[in-house]
Amino acid sequence: MSFRKRVYALVQTIPLGKVAGYGHVAAALGSPRAARQVGFALAALPGGTDVPWHRVLRSSGHIAQQGDPGRPLLQRGLLEAEGVVVEQNRVAMDRYGWVFPGGASEMG
DNA sequence: GAGATGACGGGCT
DNA sequence: AAGCCCGCCATCT
């Protein structure tokens, strides 16, 4: 099982209408500093995958850019299609920010 | 085995 | 508050 495979398996656990950050995904995989690789793995995803890659954004809720202006544009449409409100290529991580199970260390 | 790259993330000004 | 720069880790060659 490669790092990328873990990414695909993990993002598939993101519920509809929610989003997550690359760093959060990487951290959930054991490499909180491998945020780049999360995107690297998602970038390798083909068209028509079973992986909800569009539910993965930057740490600030911003949509990433890949050089292809169509990718972030599609992501924006998919998010809105799920009920996620996007403003200026940004979503309210405060409202749609998904948190992976197992690392539930909220206190208070 | 080593070098180069990239859907990121945080600090400074 | 917004923009620029380097470092990080895994993948590809």
Side-chain angles (χ1 to χ4, degrees), chain A residues 17 20 44 47 50 56-57 93 106:
Chain A
D50 301 320
V56 188
L57 317 161
M93 292 291 272
E106 64 267 33

Side-chain angles (χ1 to χ4, degrees), chain A residues 5 25 33 35 46 54 65:
Chain A
K5 291 293 195 64
V25 176
R33 293 293 166 219
H54 57 264
Q65 292 179 322

Side-chain angles (χ1 to χ4, degrees), chain A residues 6 8 10 14 33 42 46 60 64 66 80 85 88 91 93-94 99:
Chain A
R6 302 193 185 222
Y8 304 146
L10 185 61
I14 302 175
R33 293 293 166 219
L42 297 173
S60 188
Q66 184 199 104
E80 293 187 325
V85 180
Q88 293 202 316
V91 314
M93 292 291 272
D94 184 34
V99 54

Side-chain angles (χ1 to χ4, degrees), chain A residues 10-27:
Chain A
L10 185 61
V11 304
Q12 285 183 354
T13 70
I14 302 175
L16 186 148
K18 291 286 186 182
V19 299
Y22 299 94
H24 295 286
V25 176

Side-chain angles (χ1 to χ4, degrees), chain A residues 104-108:
Chain A
S105 47
E106 64 267 33
M107 188 163 285

Side-chain angles (χ1 to χ4, degrees), chain A residues 81-107:
Chain A
E82 294 190 346
V84 179
V85 180
V86 184
E87 289 291 314
Q88 293 202 316
N89 291 14
R90 187 152 100 176
V91 314
M93 292 291 272
D94 184 34
R95 300 166 29 75
Y96 304 104
W98 169 246
V99 54
F100 294 100
S105 47
E106 64 267 33
M107 188 163 285

